Amino acid sequence: MSVVVNTDRAATIIDGKSIAEDIRLHIAEEVHQMKSTVGHVPGLAVVLVGDRRDSESYVRYKTKGCEEVGIKSLLAKLPGNCTENEVMDSVARYNEDPSVHGILVQLPLPKHMDEERILSVVSLEKDVDGFHPLNVGNLALRSRKPLFVPCAAKACIELLLQSGIELMGKHVTVIGRSKVVGLPTSLLLQRHHATVSVIHAFTTNPEEITRESDIVISAAGVANLVRGSWLKKGAIVIDVGTNPVEDSTSDYGYRLTGDVCFEEAVKVASAITPVPGGVGPVTIAMLLANTLDSAKRVYGLSD
């Protein structure tokens, strides 16, 4: 799909579901080929702590994604009142398991836990979330190549590239600087020679900076933060936000909405991702791709 900028009509909707489906089909073919060649398939292990509904939902999507492409999935589910050592023991067991090629600890963890301490236990070679300090550091150094790039950041770039959008020399504003999305996305954009502005809680003029941008990527986690007035006519918008908003008409009592006020933005932007159905499906596809790449390295099948 190629997005043609047209400022005279409503924005083109960037279909993340369709892009993700194409990626998954390609992964499924490679997994099948791997099984035929070496008799093994990639394995992804998830450590889930507590009973947050959103975390359980994300894990279900990831497990379903594995099933669809033939990747083996394992799940360690621990109670919310467990200790850090119990979580680290689960991670350590997967580190030692040769059938596991990717490990992710579902975030956020309960507040009494030290997230950094737990994530540091994940083997660098199995860090398919891309949060290991060496992976982040190598991403920051353009002369180096990380083993894995964080999945949501990778998904943002994939959506832009698959949509035929040029990044070189473009002014991109990233809203949010978390290690999960904002920071790695800004680093990845610089690898594509974009000019990057990062908006955070202490930015004094976020609306003015955002309005100057060719591309806006929002990962703030604040529903409807970005209004139509924040956008330059013809801007491209990637909305990473997945914020639950009360909705009595929904079966679940809530619906998901993005960081961007879609109804306003669609009248100003030239292209925009919906929520849901935009960044989310491609993020899971990137997780599957990272797990496949890890297994290919182990079995000597890397390009």
Side-chain angles (χ1 to χ4, degrees):
M1 179 181 71
S2 180
V3 173
V4 178
V5 175
N6 181 349
T7 58
D8 297 325
R9 59 179 175 80
T12 298
I13 307 302
I14 300 175
D15 186 355
K17 285 184 179 177
S18 175
I19 291 171
E21 189 174 343
D22 289 343
I23 295 167
R24 287 199 310 270
L25 284 171
H26 181 69
I27 291 170
E29 288 173 8
E30 288 208 56
V31 169
H32 180 74
Q33 192 174 358
M34 177 182 289
K35 190 173 184 180
S36 300
T37 305
V38 298
H40 298 286
V41 298
L44 174 66
V46 179
V47 178
L48 174 63
V49 184
D51 53 5
R52 282 179 60 118
R53 283 195 306 175
D54 55 348
S55 291
E56 289 178 339
S57 176
Y58 296 146
V59 168
R60 276 198 303 274
Y61 287 133
K62 291 166 185 175
T63 303
K64 184 182 176 187
C66 286
E67 290 172 359
E68 288 176 353
V69 300
I71 290 175
K72 181 180 81 167
S73 66
L74 300 94
L75 174 65
K77 192 173 187 315
L78 301 169
N81 61 355
C82 70
T83 65
E84 284 183 13
N85 286 338
E86 287 176 294
V87 180
M88 291 191 288
D89 286 346
S90 291
V91 172
R93 281 194 293 274
Y94 287 138
N95 279 342
E96 299 300 319
D97 187 341
S99 73
V100 172
H101 306 95
I103 302 168
L104 71 87
V105 179
Q106 183 65 42
L107 302 178
L109 290 167
K111 290 181 180 177
H112 70 276
M113 293 188 177
D114 184 338
E115 205 169 87
E116 295 296 336
R117 182 169 177 246
I118 290 169
L119 292 177
S120 70
V121 179
V122 177
S123 163
L124 175 65
E125 290 76 19
K126 298 186 180 186
D127 172 41
V128 287
D129 259 342
F131 297 154
H132 192 287
L134 278 175
N135 277 322
V136 177
N138 285 336
L139 180 61
L141 299 170
R142 278 194 14 235
S143 60
R144 303 289 291 271
K145 187 177 180 183
L147 284 177
F148 305 102
V149 173
C151 304
K154 205 172 171 183
C156 291
I157 304 302
E158 188 72 19
L159 283 159
L160 291 165
L161 296 179
Q162 290 264 7
S163 301
I165 295 162
E166 178 63 55
L167 295 176
M168 187 182 292
K170 294 295 175 67
H171 182 194
V172 185
T173 289
V174 178
I175 303 175
R177 56 177 175 178
S178 73
K179 70 177 178 214
V180 178
V181 189
L183 173 62
T185 300
S186 65
L187 294 173
L188 204 49
L189 285 163
Q190 289 176 71
R191 283 185 170 242
H192 287 270
H193 309 293
T195 300
V196 183
S197 298
V198 178
I199 303 288
H200 50 78
F202 298 98
T203 303
T204 55
N205 53 344
E207 186 173 342
E208 288 84 350
I209 294 170
T210 306
R211 201 185 294 118
E212 294 172 357
S213 308
D214 305 304
I215 300 168
V216 176
I217 300 175
S218 187
V222 179
N224 297 317
L225 171 70
V226 180
R227 314 298 299 201
S229 61
W230 285 43
L231 303 173
K232 179 170 75 173
K233 190 74 173 171
I236 291 143
V237 180
I238 305 294
D239 190 350
V240 190
T242 48
N243 310 294
V245 174
E246 283 188 24
D247 183 355
S248 58
T249 64
S250 167
D251 292 341
Y252 301 100
Y254 71 95
R255 59 183 170 82
L256 291 180
T257 188
D259 290 351
V260 180
C261 182
F262 186 85
E263 293 77 11
E264 294 178 9
V266 77
K267 298 171 185 173
V268 183
S270 63
I272 187 170
T273 58
V275 177
V279 178
V282 183
T283 298
I284 293 174
M286 294 297 101
L287 172 65
L288 303 176
N290 280 355
T291 305
L292 172 62
D293 287 344
S294 180
K296 286 165 71 175
R297 271 193 288 268
V298 168
Y299 299 127
L301 302 174
S302 295
D303 298 331

